Amino acid sequence: MDIGLIGRKLGHSLSPEIHKYLGSYEYTLRPMEPEELDRFFAERDFRGVNVTIPYKKDAAERCDELSETARRIGCVNTVIKRPDGSLWGDNTDYFGFSYMADLAGIDFKNQKTLILGSGGASLTARLVAADKGASEVIVISRTGENNYGNLDRHSDAGIIVNCTPVGMYPENGKRIVDLSAFPRLRGVLDMIYNPFRTPLILDAQAGNIRCSDGLPMLVAQGAKSAEYFRVNENLKPDIPAICRAVRAEKLNIVLVGMPGCGKSTVASVLAKDLGREKLDTDDMVRARAGKPIPAIFAEEGEAAFRDLEAACVYEAARGSGRVIATGGGAVLRRENREALRGNSAVVFLERPVNELSTGGRPLSKDAETLERMYAERLPLYRETADITVRVGATPYITAAEIKERLKRYNEAAYNQRT
Ligand code: NAP
């Protein structure tokens, strides 16, 4: 391997995709077990490597020299073999985290800052927060003096940084703290980037609190490492543009809207056009139950259907890069709305009630019922959606309009906040 990444489990790594934008070197993933480390660093058969969980400390111990940042943090995420064969280590997560806070317009100066978690990423966040002038930096650890049982001691916090894996794929939906307990909160930084919106980020957005997911940190630390990896290349990577490109690729596209508005057909058109996997949560429910939806309603009742639907929504929406058509009532439960928003751009497909198709739909019995259902659900579709698109004359026209609107939606992300 010339350039690449070492770590224990690398299956979901975004790094190869990101490094494509950062230089013309080949970037190889090299998962390894702890007993392979000594040999890897003794042979030194590489020019430069990034290092991830759980080897950041081990790699630092095997370097001949460390940058000042790496020395202060006590671990490295980048190791470079110098021309004389010696190993030099840096921690570009420092730059990455600092960049993420700056991009989101979150200023630590004079802010009491809570750092959730006490692992490697927490060490970096603590240093950056202190270097940027935080008035106090408190580490919240499950087993520490400051823990999740006495958060009320710190209700005056101005910034919260999540450096734990709580809410991260595959355990989407877990909420690490309740933000309503922090009335002075002005910034939330979550190092997690899968999903893009953890419950912490969703809560911050709902409360109009500045926030960022972890992708800018990931891309920025990669960009800093790439400065060491590149040879004879004078690139100036556009970090926000790379974040937008990666996010656009990874976000699911979820369609919500009334029963019979055409979600499933439009989703098929979109999925084919974009070369993406299409899922339909009603199809998933039918497959799990082994019977048609009217039969589930008739034999087991609506609550049983909704439970099954929630499981299918969760399963579909925690994936990446999919096109997902949902049942009309998928937005009724809060847990579903959060699951749908977590890793997706949500599109509300709006269609006048008198144009909805009603065949085979147990709740769409008559015009009056439909009108009532629409009035009840409209605020929920709006609350869940990032984009609203009126259904066009054909599914192709609607799909084209969705693509155009998604482009604009993505362009609005990761712009510098001042
Ligand atoms: P780590 O060394 O494994 O530390 C994670 C810390 O989180 C642990 O020390 C633990 O602290 C806490 N924690 C673990 N499970 C928890 C649970 N169930 N509930 C509450 N707290 C829990 O990992 P790390 O390297 O610091 O990374 C932490 C997170 O940041 C990961 O999600 C990682 O993917 C992300 N990260 C992102 C970037 C990026 O570029 N965006 C860079 C680095 C890391 P206590 O035992 O003290 O509670």
Side-chain angles (χ1 to χ4, degrees):
M1 160 161 106
D2 184 33
I3 303 287
L5 174 66
I6 64 166
R8 194 147 190 198
K9 287 189 197 139
L10 303 176
H12 292 284
S13 174
L14 290 182
S15 293
E17 202 171 321
I18 289 170
H19 278 272
K20 273 191 209 146
Y21 295 97
L22 298 173
S24 51
Y25 48 83
E26 193 167 324
Y27 193 90
T28 311
L29 292 182
R30 173 86 191 272
M32 65 177 68
E33 290 302 313
E35 55 275 17
E36 295 175 74
L37 267 189
D38 277 335
R39 189 159 161 208
F40 180 79
F41 281 105
E43 287 179 349
R44 302 184 175 196
D45 190 16
F46 59 82
R47 202 155 54 78
V49 285
N50 285 132
V51 184
T52 189
I53 299 173
Y55 302 133
K56 291 184 177 183
K57 248 196 176 104
D58 305 287
E61 286 160 8
R62 286 160 175 81
C63 286
D64 300 295
E65 200 187 329
L66 298 179
S67 70
E68 195 193 334
T69 308
R71 209 173 30 73
R72 291 176 73 208
I73 298 175
C75 60
V76 299
N77 76 337
T78 310
V79 178
I80 302 297
K81 186 168 76 175
R82 296 188 288 205
D84 66 359
S86 63
L87 297 183
W88 177 79
D90 190 15
N91 197 322
T92 67
D93 278 345
Y94 183 98
F95 173 76
F97 181 64
S98 184
Y99 184 94
M100 165 186 175
D102 290 347
L103 188 71
I106 294 175
D107 186 359
F108 287 96
K109 202 162 183 52
N110 301 325
Q111 293 300 320
K112 177 169 178 174
T113 301
L114 302 190
I115 310 279
L116 312 181
S118 66
S122 161
L123 289 169
T124 304
R126 278 178 237 177
L127 263 191
V128 172
D131 289 354
K132 283 179 173 283
S135 57
E136 238 184 307
V137 178
I138 309 280
V139 176
I140 307 295
S141 165
R142 288 167 299 176
T143 51
E145 184 201 333
N146 293 298
N147 54 59
Y148 299 93
N150 58 31
L151 281 174
D152 54 332
R153 288 181 183 176
H154 305 296
S155 59
D156 56 342
I159 295 175
I160 291 182
V161 184
N162 181 30
C163 304
T164 79
V166 177
M168 185 168 75
Y169 178 88
E171 301 207 41
N172 300 44
K174 294 209 167 136
R175 186 175 258 96
I176 181 124
V177 291
D178 173 5
L179 294 188
S180 67
F182 303 94
R184 292 198 198 163
L185 200 61
R186 53 199 296 162
V188 172
L189 295 163
D190 196 332
M191 289 200 184
I192 293 172
Y193 47 83
N194 182 10
F196 289 100
R197 292 189 282 211
T198 57
L200 198 65
I201 293 290
L202 288 171
D203 291 347
Q205 288 177 344
N208 267 327
I209 296 165
R210 286 187 177 200
C211 60
S212 175
D213 64 73
L215 188 62
M217 175 175 176
L218 185 74
V219 174
Q221 63 78 26
K224 189 79 190 157
S225 298
E227 288 177 16
Y228 309 132
F229 297 158
R230 283 194 298 264
V231 186
N232 299 330
E233 266 187 290
N234 194 10
L235 272 182
K236 259 202 160 298
D238 181 341
I239 295 171
I242 298 171
C243 291
R244 286 190 279 272
V246 172
R247 190 181 86 136
E249 187 99 340
K250 295 291 165 196
L251 277 180
N252 301 308
I253 302 167
V254 162
L255 305 185
V256 298
M258 284 290 279
C261 74
K263 298 178 293 282
S264 194
T265 314
V266 173
S268 296
V269 172
L270 264 180
K272 192 158 178 230
D273 187 19
L274 299 170
R276 291 181 176 218
E277 178 190 16
K278 178 211 164 187
L279 291 179
D280 182 319
T281 60
D282 276 350
D283 287 346
M284 293 168 76
V285 168
R286 277 187 278 270
R288 283 202 189 191
K291 52 186 151 185
I293 290 173
I296 308 174
F297 270 78
E299 291 162 26
E300 300 171 45
E302 181 170 352
F305 168 79
R306 296 287 170 216
D307 287 345
L308 206 46
E309 179 179 56
C312 295
V313 162
Y314 181 78
E315 196 49 47
R318 74 178 168 162
S320 290
R322 295 169 166 165
V323 179
I324 303 168
T326 59
V331 297
L332 291 173
R333 289 189 180 178
R334 182 177 175 213
E335 67 189 270
N336 290 359
R337 297 196 292 277
E338 281 194 7
L340 291 172
R341 284 178 62 73
N343 205 38
S344 313
V346 183
V347 181
F348 169 33
L349 223 47
E350 200 174 24
R351 187 172 209 175
V353 177
N354 59 358
E355 291 175 16
L356 297 171
S357 126
T358 52
R361 301 174 196 280
L363 294 179
S364 306
K365 288 182 198 98
D366 52 64
E368 200 181 313
T369 314
L370 262 182
E371 289 283 0
R372 197 163 5 92
M373 198 194 278
Y374 189 65
E376 178 201 357
R377 293 181 182 180
L378 186 60
L380 300 177
Y381 293 136
R382 294 236 157 95
E383 178 194 319
T384 314
D386 298 293
I387 295 166
T388 297
V389 170
R390 288 291 295 249
V391 171
T394 71
Y396 297 95
I397 293 172
T398 311
E401 174 68 11
I402 291 174
K403 273 174 39 185
E404 182 53 35
R405 295 290 304 281
L406 281 173
K407 203 166 137 230
R408 276 187 265 154
Y409 170 71
N410 280 319
E411 280 165 1
Y414 303 117
N415 288 312
Q416 174 76 56
R417 288 201 63 169
T418 49

